[in-house]
Amino acid sequence: DFSTVLMILLCLYAVTTVFVREKETQMNLLLLTSPGGGYMTCAAKLMAVSVFSVGIAIWFSLLDFIGFCLAFHTGEGGELPIYAINNFANTPLNMTLFQYVLLSAAVRALGMWSFCMGMLAFSMKWKTALFPFAINLSVLLALIFQGASSQFYSNIWEKIWNPYVLLVNRTLFANTEFINCLGYPVLGYQAALILSMLTGFLLGGIILRCYTRNQHHVPGGFGCEIRSL
């Protein structure tokens, strides 16, 4: 799990300052008068953070796989079913080990993206990077502690709401667990993926909605006063 913690810290350091730097350098004042400012700038930053978080997650997943092959001096066994591993004897997945490696990388990318959307949403209104960095770090440490402890919980809901479970998803896929969703049984890992996606898109929408609009979005154009900074 060392790579997971390192991945979270890298994204924390990179993402927290995405919006804060605008205010520290007073670039936000210039963006308000630019045709590409406001919504377009915010959308571009959301896209850049999404690409960065997904890329970091996939890169570290690749490094983990290479490190495993080097440590055990083998890359064989990729065609074996995943339930051949003792810890995955009760898994709901029906795939090979190599397919599970790809699935795990994609799930980690989704969890990291959800984390980054949360860090962006919290830090966008601060004027300095110190306070959002410290608070985001505290929240992340609490989520990591809760996620690491969730494998001992019997209530599946206490596991799936935390996106950290997606980053260390072996506990998520190890057992076949169901939740009751409107009278229909839903696999626990499916519910975790859906919750993480909905949370990420919701936070992204909130960021776009709350981001300061430029003069081209204000009724009256350049002749009116800038309403918010």
Side-chain angles (χ1 to χ4, degrees), residues 105-122:
V107 171
R108 293 181 79 187
L110 176 61
M112 196 68 257
W113 173 73
S114 181
F115 264 124
C116 288
M117 289 297 105
M119 290 186 283
L120 270 182
F122 182 78

Side-chain angles (χ1 to χ4, degrees), residues 141-204:
L141 290 177
L143 290 176
I144 291 174
F145 178 79
Q146 194 279 335
S149 304
S150 65
Q151 58 182 318
F152 305 107
Y153 297 160
S154 58
N155 189 348
I156 183 62
W157 283 105
E158 296 180 354
K159 302 178 183 179
I160 64 176
W161 71 268
N162 189 346
Y164 179 77
V165 177
L166 301 183
L167 301 181
V168 286
N169 48 68
R170 62 181 181 274
T171 59
L172 189 64
F173 295 123
N175 297 302
T176 302
E177 298 176 300
F178 293 91
I179 63 170
N180 185 0
C181 182
L182 301 178
Y184 295 93
V186 178
L187 285 168
Y189 78 89
Q190 294 176 342
L193 294 176
I194 293 173
L195 281 177
S196 185
M197 290 181 62
L198 291 178
T199 301
F201 283 118
L202 177 61
L203 292 173

Side-chain angles (χ1 to χ4, degrees), residues 215 218 221-228:
Q215 282 287 64
V218 179
F222 285 99
C224 66
E225 181 182 0
I226 296 177
R227 288 177 168 77
S228 61

